Amino acid sequence: MSDLLLTSPFLSFFRRAAASGSAAVLWLSLLLACLLLPQHAKAQIVDDTTKTIYGPKTTFIIREADVLREKTEGRMVDTTLTDIQQARFWAHDSTYQQDLGELGTASRQLLWAPNTQLGARLGRNVFDRYVRNSATIPYYDTRSPYAFLRYVQGTPESVFELSFSRSIKKTASVGFAYERFSANKLYTANPREGLTDHSNVLLFMRYQTEDERYHVLANLNTSRHKSVEQGGIRPLATDTLGRGDLFGNEDRRTVWLTKAANNEDRDQVHVAQTYRLLGKGLTAFHVLDLSRQLNKYTDTQLPTSNGEVLYYPEARRSITATDDRVQYRQIENTVGVLGRTETVEYRIYGRHRKGSLDTQSLIGNPGVLTRVTQPDSAIQKVPGQLFVGGTAAFRYKIFAIETAGEYRFFKEYWVRAAAKLGPLTGEIFSSSYSPTLTQQQFIGNHYLWNNNFSQTQVNQLTVRVDQTLGHQRLQASGAVVNLTNLVYYDASARPAQLSDAKQLIIVSARHRAQFGSFFSGNEATYTLGGDGAGLHIPALVANGKVYYQGDVFKKALFGQVGAEVYYQSRFRAYGYSPSTQQFYVQDNFTIRNYPVVDVFLNADIKTVAIFLKMAYVNQGLYRNGYFASPYYTSLPRRFQLGLRWQFFN
C-alpha cells in the first residue's frame, strides 16, 4: 500500500497541493508523507511460517464515548456485509429522512425524535447528515498500517471515501480521511450537470501513556458542501398534480430557479483528554470544541414576470440578485470527572459555551455585501452560557437503572431516566429548550423576522421490550409524547409557535429472524397524531428485507442475494425554502403512499466487499414514480454498484 501511494502520481499530488495554497489539502499531503515515508517504522507480526497475520483481529476502533467510559481496549473493525447496499447508510445519519430526491440535497428526519441540544445553536441543519460528527469519529489502534476505501456509483449519484491510519508504537496513532458525495441534476438535458457536491477532510490522532493513565483524542474536521437549488418542478398549465403528470421526461421539465445555490462550510477542532486520578473509580476529563459554520445562499438571476419577483415572497434588498450569508462561531469547554466499577458508572461535568453571529446580505442593484445583524450592524455576540450535567448507571444481574441529564442556568434542561428488568425497559424523558438562533432572527433578501418565542416543553413516556429466542430477535416499543409551545415553520416558511399542546402515540417494532441460510429483517413505526398543526409525520414508515447468504466456490466467496422494500404512507410532506435552508409545514401537497423495491447481490472476498443493486425495480407496476418532497420527484429505476476494500498492511 505504501509503495502504491508513493508512486509518481502521488508525489505530483503533493507538489500541486503545496502550490495550490489550500491549507486543508496541504495538511493532508504533509500527513500522508509523514505516515508513508518511514517504511522502517512498520511493525511486523508473523507466525512460525512467516505468514502475515494482519487483519481485523489486529485492528481496533476506539471512540471518544468509549474513552469517556474508561473503556479503551477498542472494538474490531466491521467486516460484515450488513446493509452495505442500503443508501441510508452511505451518509453519516442512517435515520429515515425526507430529502429533495437525491444524495446531497437538503434533508430532515422523517420520524419524531426528542431534542437534547440546549442553549445557543444556529439552526441550519439540512446538510447535517453529510457531515462527520467530530465527537463520534473512529480512532484506530493498529499493529500495521490500516487503509479503508469505499466507492459507490449509481445514476446520477456517487460516494467516495478513503482513510488511512497507522500506530506509532502502542501508545499513539495518526491518520486522515477524505470523502466526497456528489449527484447530478435530474431535471436537465445534460445528465452530467452537477447538482450537489460535498467534500470532507479529517485529520486525527490519539495518544496514551504507557501506563494508560492519560489519554488524548484530537481531530481537525473540515467540510465543504454545495447544493444547486432548483426550487422544485414548475408545473405546466396541463399538469394534474398527483396523477403522475410530473414523472418522466425530466429533461424537459421546467424548474423555478436556474442560478441559485446553497454553500455551507464547516470547520471544527475537537480535543478530548482524560487523566486517571484514583484508578478507574475517579478520572478527570476535559473536552475542547472550536467550530465555525458558514451558510451562504446565492441567486444571481431571480425569476421575474412583468417586473415582479416570482417564487420568493418578496425581494427586500435587491431585485436583481440574492446573496444572504450567516456565519456562526462557537467555543465550548467541558470539564468533569467520571468513574466506573462492575456495577456503577457515573460522569459529572460543567460546560461553558460562547459564540458570535455574523449576518450579511446583498443590498442594492447590482448590490454591495453588507453586514445587517440587528440592531447595530455589528457582529452579534452570543453571551456565555453555563451548563451542568451528568450520567449515572447502576447494574446488577438483570436489573439496571440509568439516568442522564443536562441543565443550563437558569433556563433549559433535559433529563432521562430508565429502569430495566430483563427484556423490559421503562423510560421517562422531559425537556425544556429555547428556539434556535435562526428561529429567533433572520435578515435576508426574501425574509425578515425577529421573534421572542417561549421555550418548548417535551414529556415522553416509553416502554420497550427486547427479547431473543433462538435465531429470532424482537424489539418493540410504545411511546406517549406531549409537546407544548412547539416552534415550527408555517406555510409561509416563517417561524411560528403552537399555542395548544400536541400529543403523539408512537409504536415501533423490529424483527430479525434466521431460517437456515435465509434471513429476514423487518421494522415499522406507526405514529398517531403526527399529521396536524405544526408537525407532519407519515402514519406508517416500514422497511422489510429478506435474503439468502452462504459460502460459494469452496468458501472463497461469501455472498448475499435478496430484496428490500420501503413503504411510506401518504402524508403532507414538508415544503422546502432554499433561501432560509428550512423545511416548513404545508397543507396543499399530499405525497401518496408508495412502496420502493430494491434487489441486491452482496459479496465478500477476503478484505473486499462489493454490492450490485437494482433500485426501484417496481417502477411502473403501481405508479410511474413518487415524490420525495412537494414538487421534487425521486430518482427512477437505476443500477448501483459499490466497493469496500480494507487494507491491513
Side-chain angles (χ1 to χ4, degrees), residues 44-300:
Q44 295 293 326
I45 302 178
V46 295
D47 59 17
D48 292 337
T49 62
T50 69
K51 180 181 178 182
T52 302
I53 58 172
Y54 299 134
K57 294 183 179 180
T58 64
T59 305
F60 299 90
I61 291 176
I62 299 174
R63 299 186 187 272
E64 181 179 315
D66 295 326
V67 174
L68 294 180
R69 295 184 58 203
E70 289 282 81
K71 302 184 73 172
T72 58
E73 60 273 15
R75 309 177 187 185
M76 284 199 312
V77 295
D78 183 13
T79 59
T80 67
L81 293 175
T82 305
D83 294 319
I84 187 177
Q85 84 292 340
Q86 174 53 258
R88 282 193 293 117
F89 296 91
W90 297 349
H92 298 293
D93 186 346
S94 60
T95 61
Y96 293 106
Q97 301 269 329
Q98 176 193 336
D99 58 23
L100 306 185
E102 294 193 53
L103 184 69
T105 57
S107 68
R108 64 177 300 277
Q109 284 196 27
L110 189 63
L111 301 175
W112 162 257
N115 171 58
T116 57
Q117 300 297 315
L118 308 181
R121 55 204 190 280
L122 181 57
R124 306 288 182 97
N125 306 113
V126 294
F127 302 121
D128 277 7
R129 69 180 300 208
Y130 311 110
V131 180
R132 291 182 186 269
N133 184 342
S134 289
T136 62
I137 70 161
Y139 300 85
Y140 295 92
D141 178 9
T142 68
R143 296 185 181 181
S144 62
Y146 170 71
F148 175 91
L149 173 67
R150 179 170 66 119
Y151 179 71
V152 177
Q153 182 62 59
T155 304
E157 303 168 322
S158 67
V159 176
F160 174 80
E161 180 182 357
L162 172 66
S163 66
F164 182 86
S165 178
R166 69 174 304 148
S167 291
I168 303 173
K169 297 184 178 180
K170 174 64 178 176
T171 58
S173 65
V174 294
F176 77 89
Y178 171 79
E179 65 180 353
R180 182 174 183 263
F181 303 107
S182 63
N184 293 331
K185 288 183 179 179
L186 183 63
Y187 316 122
T188 178
N190 180 8
R192 296 187 177 183
E193 189 174 1
L195 177 69
T196 63
D197 192 351
H198 172 91
S199 61
N200 179 269
V201 175
L202 173 69
L203 308 178
F204 56 90
M205 62 81 65
R206 70 168 189 90
Y207 170 77
Q208 67 186 48
T209 56
E210 292 186 1
D211 60 4
E212 298 191 11
R213 192 168 188 176
Y214 174 74
H215 294 263
V216 59
L217 308 172
N219 67 79
L220 170 62
N221 188 9
T222 178
S223 68
R224 301 293 181 262
H225 190 101
K226 180 179 180 180
S227 178
V228 173
E229 300 290 2
Q230 299 179 287
I233 294 174
R234 187 172 181 175
L236 305 176
T238 57
D239 287 335
T240 304
L241 299 182
R243 295 187 180 180
D245 296 17
L246 298 185
F247 302 110
N249 299 321
E250 281 81 3
D251 59 334
R252 294 194 292 272
R253 282 292 166 193
T254 301
V255 294
W256 281 103
L257 307 176
T258 58
K259 298 293 183 179
N262 263 309
N263 287 269
E264 181 180 273
D265 298 348
R266 298 196 192 190
D267 301 299
Q268 191 170 9
V269 175
H270 189 84
V271 182
Q273 50 190 336
T274 65
Y275 184 78
R276 188 177 300 162
L277 300 175
L278 297 173
K280 291 189 176 182
L282 183 62
T283 297
F285 73 92
H286 169 245
V287 179
L288 168 67
D289 192 273
L290 305 171
S291 62
R292 179 189 78 99
Q293 181 176 337
L294 170 66
N295 288 73
K296 179 175 70 172
Y297 177 74
T298 58
D299 190 344
T300 57

Side-chain angles (χ1 to χ4, degrees), residues 294 325-329 356-360 371-373 378-380:
L294 170 66
R325 308 183 185 191
V326 60
Q327 181 171 250
Y328 180 61
R329 297 178 181 270
S356 64
L357 191 67
D358 186 8
T359 304
Q360 300 179 64
R371 182 173 292 125
V372 293
T373 307
I379 296 178
Q380 180 181 348

